[in-house]
Amino acid sequence: MLIEIGAVEAIFRYPVKSMGGERLEVTNLGWYGLEGDRRLAFRQMGNRSGMPWLTASKLPDLLRFVPQRREDGGRQDGDLGDLYLPTHIRTPDGKEMPVFGEDLATEVGRRYGAPVEMMQLRHGIFDETSISVIASDTVREIGRLAGRSLDVRRFRPNVLVRLLRSAPFQEDEWVGGVLCFGEGDDAPAIAVTMRDERCSMVNLDPDSASPAPEVMKAVVRANQNNAGIYGAVTRIGRLAVGQTIFLRAAPGKRERA
């Protein structure tokens, strides 16, 4: 049975891992998350681990780099997915550099203190699964506990939910279930696989990259360091702001009315 739990309040895409994102009104949800989401990332060239990607937890300034797309700067040898990718990056100093250019890699490497190179992965570069969701009530509660008004972009979700039943950390109840965005057999859907365990990135202001350690402390205190959920796409389709969200709860689990 499908239970209405809320609506899509906002949609975010982050073309380059840990860089500034973009707010969307409508987009396509594909098998590997939102089209164009986290398809690019800087690789630490001396890092041979399974996660060599440079993130804002290691270089907070990455948040201040903003992906741009010039209509005359697209890659001619790419596929349809390249239509969603940036062609240039605006640096914190206001300079625009080609996304795959040596100047950008040099600038990021200088700030980080070690060489990096831009990589493109067709299926994206994700910490866990390909889509993340959080409720605005959860963000507000964390802000209340931290003693500050929080921009939801600190949590870097793909989907922000406006809940029908107001309750922070309600997302925990969805684990094991399925979220459907809109009505009908063709509505996009995700299987809710796990809670989103947070890292120090939630402490960073998305515009200035200035830290506020009280934010992560609030998440730890309120919900064992979890805020929001991760999901895996089970049905592709059109995702739009305002769509009603339905939950098919996990067997043996029931969403509270």
Side-chain angles (χ1 to χ4, degrees):
M1 182 177 68
L2 291 178
I3 304 165
E4 182 179 347
I5 60 169
V8 176
E9 185 171 337
I11 302 169
F12 299 92
R13 174 169 58 206
Y14 311 90
V16 184
K17 190 173 180 65
S18 275
M19 286 191 182
E22 52 190 344
R23 189 163 179 158
L24 307 170
E25 289 297 312
V26 62
T27 189
N28 293 319
L29 180 64
W31 292 118
Y32 301 101
L34 302 187
E35 295 286 1
D37 186 50
R38 295 173 171 93
R39 295 321 194 242
L40 304 175
F42 271 111
R43 181 179 73 87
Q44 305 165 69
M45 293 177 67
N47 188 324
R48 298 185 180 277
S49 72
M51 285 295 290
W53 316 114
L54 181 62
T55 67
S57 61
K58 297 176 181 176
L59 179 63
D61 255 2
L62 271 184
L63 291 171
R64 301 172 59 219
F65 285 75
V66 182
Q68 309 277 312
R69 179 161 185 83
R70 293 183 186 172
E71 292 305 317
D72 61 348
R75 301 172 68 195
Q76 300 302 314
D77 59 344
D79 59 20
L80 184 62
D82 286 341
L83 295 176
Y84 301 95
L85 298 182
T87 60
H88 292 73
I89 302 293
R90 189 178 72 238
T91 72
D93 300 326
K95 300 175 183 176
E96 285 198 4
M97 300 178 177
V99 67
F100 288 101
E102 289 185 11
D103 288 346
L104 178 62
T106 298
E107 174 66 12
V108 172
R110 179 185 67 79
R111 291 172 183 260
Y112 177 51
V116 297
E117 66 173 340
M118 183 69 83
M119 301 288 292
Q120 178 177 350
L121 276 74
R122 184 173 184 179
H123 297 157
I125 303 127
F126 304 101
D127 293 337
E128 296 294 346
T129 55
S130 60
I131 189 162
S132 59
V133 180
I134 198 169
S136 50
D137 290 68
T138 297
V139 175
R140 283 192 292 270
E141 176 63 7
I142 294 168
R144 185 188 71 80
L145 294 171
R148 58 170 58 223
S149 177
L150 298 182
D151 189 319
V152 66
R153 292 179 299 155
R154 284 180 181 267
F155 300 88
R156 298 182 71 82
N158 293 120
V159 179
L160 178 66
V161 179
R162 182 176 65 251
L163 295 170
L164 200 61
R165 171 176 65 83
S166 181
F169 306 107
Q170 186 182 141
E171 305 96 313
D172 293 357
E173 302 172 11
W174 307 340
V175 175
V178 174
L179 294 181
C180 299
F181 300 94
E183 302 184 64
D185 294 338
D186 60 346
I190 65 170
V192 182
T193 57
M194 62 190 297
R195 297 193 293 173
D196 191 339
E197 184 176 352
R198 294 298 172 167
C199 69
S200 60
M201 279 191 65
V202 300
N203 290 334
L204 302 175
D205 181 275
D207 293 318
S208 68
S210 58
E214 61 269 27
V215 178
M216 188 169 175
K217 290 178 182 177
V219 181
V220 172
R221 186 167 71 251
N223 201 39
Q224 298 84 48
N225 201 31
N226 295 292
I229 56 91
Y230 283 116
V233 179
T234 58
R235 191 163 57 231
I236 63 175
R238 177 179 177 273
L239 188 66
V241 170
Q243 279 177 327
T244 302
I245 304 175
F246 298 91
L247 170 69
R248 180 180 292 113
K253 230 175 172 182
R254 186 178 177 184
E255 168 76 1
R256 290 177 292 175

